[in-house]
Amino acid sequence: MKFKNDLILRVARGEKAERTPVWLMRQAGRILPEYRAIREKLSGFKELATTPSLAAEVTLQPVDILNVDAAIIFSDILVVPEAMGLTYEMPEAKGPWFPKKINNLSDVNSLRVLEAELELEYVYEAIKITKKELAGRVPLIGFAGAPWTIFAYMVEGHGSKTFSNAKKMLYSDPTLSHLLLEKITTVTIAYLKKQIASGADLVQIFDSWAGILSPEQYNEFSLPYISKICDAITEVPTTIFAKGAFFARKQLGLLNCETIGLDWNMDIEESRALIGNKKTLQGNLDPCVLYTSFSEIKKHTQNMLNKFGNHQHIANLGHGVYPDTEKDKVRCFVDAVKEHQFALVV
Ligand code: CP3
């Protein structure tokens, strides 16, 4: 595939690039009036996510409107538990809800594993349509949740600040926990490979709930499964974003992946020292910076870029953009990255 703009792929592979590429986690969605217009006509988020032509349309919106250097396929990490047998609901402004959740061994045994990837045909179709419509303008990012984060939703049954029921299972039944994590990992690998075969040019793993585990639990219940996924995905560059896992940066740096995402709590220079020079880093502006003035956004963005330095960095926020952010403020962030000139280092 010949790209007009392949900056993000080159930087992910550690190659030289003329400037820092930029995109935003959750760039497709409620920050865009164009997204809200499509969404209002539908029964809900799920109809949008499961209708490939519409999912492709909202995937392209931020490329056209925000001028970002990558598209990310419009979907959700929760499509994986659904494909395994636990359907989710997305009630308006309430967050995800699973009518059926995982409590015991018989629940784990009844999950689909080998057939699960076949349930996700609508995602592959959305990727194919998006690729065709992108026509090489920018690369397309595929994604999945990390096994621990998916486990957290499957056991808890809904979003939570503490995910205490999910953590309870890790402490009280580690054998059952590993069995479930193993199954999620198998499905995730097959799912990502199908996304890649359908056209995804790089993939990102979201471990959104990494930060609620202790370092010991993270080492036992999350890292080994992420590592398995990294070893299995050899076709395209892989990014691991483990939100809140400041304590695991050194181990994340040893994974068989190309890029590590940083959240805004992670000090940039300290992260580079812990992770080393072999990985590309992604991130990490506080999404709340985009609530301030245009000049402050510019200043904070330039400050972040200078800390990362002129190599192996993909600019992004430290987590998904908040839905009440003004579109022009997001544009300001993207433009500030594109305009940035690094001081010449001799
Ligand atoms: O633009 C993109 O980044 C692509 C689309 C995308 C969505 N969800 C669409 C979405 C991506 C990459 C995700 C990932 C996702 N989903 C994560 C990992 C990233 C993170 O934020 O940590 C998680 C934890 C979820 C689970 C999820 N989906 C929650 C908790 C919610 C409700 C809260 C919220 O932000 O609304 C969702 C819903 C969701 N996923 C929306 C969108 C656009 C909002 C639904 C709507 O439009 O009504």
Side-chain angles (χ1 to χ4, degrees), residues 26-28 30 35 39 45 75-76 90 143 206 208 319:
R26 299 285 188 102
Q27 64 190 12
R30 289 161 294 179
Y35 168 88
R39 179 72 172 67
F45 169 80
S75 183
D76 201 274
M90 199 68 91
F143 70 90
F206 289 90
S208 304
H319 199 186

Side-chain angles (χ1 to χ4, degrees), residues 186-201:
T186 304
V187 175
T188 302
I189 290 171
Y191 176 48
L192 287 171
K193 282 189 176 281
K194 278 263 172 77
Q195 289 188 43
I196 296 164
S198 307
D201 301 294

Side-chain angles (χ1 to χ4, degrees), residues 7-68:
L7 274 174
I8 191 170
L9 283 174
R10 280 189 277 143
V11 172
R13 293 194 201 106
E15 295 165 23
K16 280 247 167 297
E18 43 299 358
R19 67 165 172 83
T20 304
V22 54
W23 69 283
L24 291 90
M25 291 184 273
R26 299 285 188 102
Q27 64 190 12
R30 289 161 294 179
I31 52 161
L32 299 178
E34 294 83 352
Y35 168 88
R36 294 198 296 267
I38 293 181
R39 179 72 172 67
E40 267 163 28
K41 290 189 221 126
L42 305 171
S43 60
F45 169 80
K46 281 188 86 171
E47 186 182 353
L48 181 50
T50 55
T51 309
S53 58
L54 294 175
E57 188 176 344
V58 296
T59 300
L60 293 166
Q61 284 177 344
V63 178
D64 297 329
I65 300 164
L66 303 173
N67 253 321
V68 283

